[in-house]
Amino acid sequence: MWRDRYAPSPQPLRTFYLSRFLRLVPVFVLVNAFALLVWTQAGRPTDISFHGSISNLFILGYGSLPAPALAPAWSLDVEMQFYLVAPFLVPLVLCWPLPSLALATLATLGSFTLSGFDFTVGLGLMPSYLLFFGLGMAAALKSWQISPRLARLSLAVGVTVLWGLLLSDAYGPSVNLLAALAFTPFALSTVQNASSRTDAMFGDMSYVLYLLHWPAVVILGDHGGSLPMAERLPYVAATVLLTLAATWAVWRFFDRPLNRWRSVLIERRLASA
């Protein structure tokens, strides 16, 4: 995307940052405001420090907050950290793809080693994920074509590994790396497929759901978490349906109009090349 779409433009880095900011931050701020409301209503502590204020508005540093109201957003923090170092990483990958991939692998292993293979220590630190960023960039640069057979095998192995970890005492954030590696060929294959309007809609909605499901989990846990399983199921079903409906509403009336405006703005900047 960088090489073919942004690099030829007059201000490639500024245009790229503007595009990613407008894609990620507005929806995050909207859902995070709701999550903070839920969080405070439940009597949980919030971080009102300078670090907390900046991270709650601009994501960066969110993964290292002591009590984030929107826990899954730690991975958005990792993504933002990657964008800050991307201007240095991308030229390395373009010039020396295989050595860069090897260095990314060493950085990930080094990060795990320094944390004593305690994944939670490096949860919000980008070096722990350089292997995956490196694989993505190398795949794009080399135009790796993942065969349908390998993609299906990757999906099957990934599900098997993840399910086995969930059912055993071996599950933990560190060994979850195995499942991520198993899913990698399948993940790479998805970016090679043409996307229909319906598929694009679900793709955009998945970002909203990824954020919005967490306050729903908190509300459900506070009001029905202590109930027996049979009594809790109706609350779970209602929560799922309401979360899906709210996800569609946020996408339809907030995310989609904003994304269309962002697309027009960025296309105008790119067209001036």
Side-chain angles (χ1 to χ4, degrees):
M1 186 191 300
W2 170 262
R3 182 183 55 186
D4 299 334
R5 181 173 170 80
Y6 290 95
S9 67
Q11 297 176 317
L13 195 60
R14 185 178 300 179
T15 303
F16 177 78
Y17 280 157
L18 177 63
S19 177
R20 298 313 299 158
F21 180 89
L22 293 175
R23 182 68 192 96
L24 296 176
V25 173
V27 172
F28 165 80
V29 170
L30 177 68
V31 179
N32 190 47
F34 174 64
L36 284 169
L37 179 63
V38 171
W39 201 252
T40 53
Q41 287 293 320
R44 293 177 171 85
T46 56
D47 189 346
I48 57 174
S49 66
F50 177 76
H51 173 197
S53 301
I54 294 297
S55 297
N56 277 292
L57 287 174
F58 303 109
I59 304 176
L60 196 64
Y62 196 88
S64 57
L65 290 178
L70 206 57
W74 65 266
S75 63
L76 291 180
D77 179 20
V78 172
E79 183 177 349
M80 297 296 255
Q81 292 176 50
F82 170 73
Y83 293 145
L84 291 181
V85 300
F88 308 99
L89 289 177
V90 171
L92 289 176
V93 174
L94 288 173
C95 295
W96 304 288
L98 292 180
S100 297
L101 184 57
L103 287 174
T105 304
L106 289 175
T108 297
L109 292 175
S111 179
F112 276 98
T113 303
L114 290 174
S115 64
F117 288 88
D118 181 359
F119 186 82
T120 56
V121 174
L123 186 67
L125 298 177
M126 191 272 299
S128 300
Y129 311 92
L130 263 178
L131 169 60
F132 297 101
F133 286 116
L135 283 170
M137 290 190 289
L141 181 63
K142 293 297 183 181
S143 299
W144 289 349
Q145 295 295 318
I146 307 299
S147 68
R149 183 178 180 181
L150 178 58
R152 289 193 295 268
L153 177 63
S154 168
L155 179 61
V157 172
V159 169
T160 302
V161 170
L162 188 59
W163 189 250
L165 293 173
L166 287 170
L167 293 179
S168 69
D169 293 334
Y171 179 75
S174 57
V175 293
N176 205 35
L177 180 68
L178 296 174
L181 287 171
F183 277 120
T184 296
F186 172 73
L188 292 175
S189 72
T190 64
V191 300
Q192 300 169 356
N193 303 326
S195 179
S196 65
R197 291 182 62 182
T198 301
D199 182 57
M201 177 190 72
F202 282 121
D204 289 342
M205 285 176 59
S206 69
Y207 175 51
V208 181
L209 182 61
Y210 156 74
L211 296 173
L212 195 57
H213 87 278
W214 187 253
V217 167
V218 172
I219 294 172
L220 179 64
D222 286 345
H223 293 85
S226 60
L227 295 175
M229 177 64 72
E231 296 181 29
R232 191 165 66 242
L233 283 177
Y235 293 97
V236 172
T239 301
V240 169
L241 291 175
L242 287 172
T243 303
L244 291 175
T247 296
W248 180 86
V250 171
W251 168 78
R252 176 65 177 80
F253 299 108
F254 183 80
D255 184 49
R256 187 172 75 161
L258 184 64
N259 204 30
R260 286 178 170 176
W261 172 77
R262 176 187 70 93
S263 180
V264 171
L265 175 66
I266 299 303
E267 286 300 328
R268 286 176 178 172
R269 292 179 67 94
L270 295 175
S272 64

